[in-house]
Amino acid sequence: MTSVQDNIKGKVAIVTGASSGLGESTARHLAARGAKVVLAARRTDRLDKVVAEIREAGGEAIAVATDVARRADLEKLAAATVEAFGRIDVLVNNAGVMPLSPLDKLKVDEWDRTIDVNIKGVLYGIAAVLPRMQAQGSGHIVNVASIAGLKVFTPIGTVYSATKHAVRAISEGLRVEMGNGGVRVTIVSPGAVESELKFGSTDAESAAGVRAFYEANQIPADSVARAVVYAVEQPADVDINEVVLRPVSQEF
């Protein structure tokens, strides 16, 4: 009898935002379970270091410089993955930004960047892998949302919450559309998890509050990585639709 733990072995998985935090941890966990991992992010020096460590541990991994806000970068990422490993089985749309501030601070440039990365980046990732997954009759798209996609994070995270609500809507729509096509869709909605997100705010007051909140409550990045692994390792006819996880101490 095949264990679910064997369902990851040999799968080809792309992880965006893989240079640190949730993405890095997820890539390491998938590689440790036998997946061939493609790490994507803008910081190639950091990617190269993580890839080297995965390989030293006996895993298979490559790095591809990627800005998810650029559709062409996602297309190149998908092409590089197929060139290296022949197929794409899993996409973890993890890359995200969280520059928090009240709306009346009018940080419109930050709103634009948040939308470009958190919404368009997810859509561009889907566009890059979906035709290949449909052609092979299987695949799994894991979109990292947030508990801010379940409840509006006011008064400093309204735009961020809007993007994460969008990720949940896109994911649910994609799940229904792909229902008979063999492509699974999972939403992972974390609370305060150790990552660089908490350093994204240029508004001093918001930044201080967020850092204090995270430092008092955050759980390790591998908390999310384990959730992704759980979803991916399920048999092909099982789709874990959504995982919501928080620190026990977190009320929001």
Side-chain angles (χ1 to χ4, degrees), residues 221-241:
D222 66 1
S223 310
V224 176
R226 291 194 304 271
V228 174
V229 166
Y230 170 71
V232 174
E233 74 182 0
Q234 299 304 310
D237 61 348
V238 177
D239 188 358
I240 302 299
N241 302 144

Side-chain angles (χ1 to χ4, degrees), residues 11-15 30 35-39 81 88-92:
K11 284 187 174 179
V12 178
I14 298 171
V15 182
L30 290 171
K36 301 171 183 179
V37 183
V38 180
L39 289 80
T81 301
I88 302 170
D89 296 299
V90 179
L91 168 65
V92 182

Side-chain angles (χ1 to χ4, degrees), residues 151-170:
K151 181 179 180 181
V152 179
F153 183 17
T154 55
I156 61 173
T158 300
V159 174
Y160 178 73
S161 280
T163 66
K164 294 303 186 176
H165 276 74
V167 170
R168 294 187 69 248
I170 291 163

Side-chain angles (χ1 to χ4, degrees), residues 52-65:
E53 290 171 359
I54 288 173
R55 289 175 177 171
E56 286 167 13
E60 291 186 68
I62 63 170
V64 181

Side-chain angles (χ1 to χ4, degrees), residues 164-178:
K164 294 303 186 176
H165 276 74
V167 170
R168 294 187 69 248
I170 291 163
S171 302
E172 175 61 6
L174 180 63
R175 181 191 71 80
V176 175
E177 289 187 34
M178 292 296 107

Side-chain angles (χ1 to χ4, degrees), residues 121-171:
V122 167
L123 288 169
Y124 292 160
I126 292 169
V129 305
L130 192 57
R132 293 171 170 90
M133 291 181 174
Q134 288 179 297
Q136 67 197 23
S138 66
H140 196 163
I141 296 173
V142 180
N143 293 328
V144 178
S146 169
I147 58 164
L150 299 165
K151 181 179 180 181
V152 179
F153 183 17
T154 55
I156 61 173
T158 300
V159 174
Y160 178 73
S161 280
T163 66
K164 294 303 186 176
H165 276 74
V167 170
R168 294 187 69 248
I170 291 163
S171 302

Side-chain angles (χ1 to χ4, degrees), residues 39-230:
L39 289 80
R42 291 180 297 165
R43 294 179 295 179
T44 53
D45 55 338
R46 179 62 189 165
L47 286 181
D48 291 340
K49 182 176 184 294
V50 178
V51 165
E53 290 171 359
I54 288 173
R55 289 175 177 171
E56 286 167 13
E60 291 186 68
I62 63 170
V64 181
T66 307
D67 180 350
V68 299
R70 295 169 51 87
R71 184 181 177 189
D73 280 18
L74 272 301
E75 296 295 333
K76 290 176 184 175
L77 172 62
T81 301
V82 172
E83 182 179 352
F85 297 124
R87 58 189 288 122
I88 302 170
D89 296 299
V90 179
L91 168 65
V92 182
N93 267 321
N94 165 73
V97 295
M98 191 176 73
L100 303 176
S101 63
L103 287 173
D104 63 9
K105 294 294 179 77
L106 301 181
K107 291 186 176 288
V108 178
D109 289 345
E110 292 183 0
W111 302 349
D112 286 341
R113 179 66 180 168
T114 306
I115 290 166
D116 286 347
V117 173
N118 294 4
I119 301 179
K120 291 183 179 179
V122 167
L123 288 169
Y124 292 160
I126 292 169
V129 305
L130 192 57
R132 293 171 170 90
M133 291 181 174
Q134 288 179 297
Q136 67 197 23
S138 66
H140 196 163
I141 296 173
V142 180
N143 293 328
V144 178
S146 169
I147 58 164
L150 299 165
K151 181 179 180 181
V152 179
F153 183 17
T154 55
I156 61 173
T158 300
V159 174
Y160 178 73
S161 280
T163 66
K164 294 303 186 176
H165 276 74
V167 170
R168 294 187 69 248
I170 291 163
S171 302
E172 175 61 6
L174 180 63
R175 181 191 71 80
V176 175
E177 289 187 34
M178 292 296 107
N180 295 317
V183 179
R184 303 186 295 180
V185 181
T186 300
I187 310 165
V188 177
S189 297
V193 174
E194 166 60 33
S195 75
E196 295 182 356
L197 277 182
K198 61 179 176 286
F199 301 122
S201 303
T202 60
D203 177 60
E205 186 177 353
S206 300
V210 169
R211 282 197 297 271
F213 177 78
Y214 268 72
E215 286 163 11
N217 293 282
Q218 67 188 8
I219 50 179
D222 66 1
S223 310
V224 176
R226 291 194 304 271
V228 174
V229 166
Y230 170 71

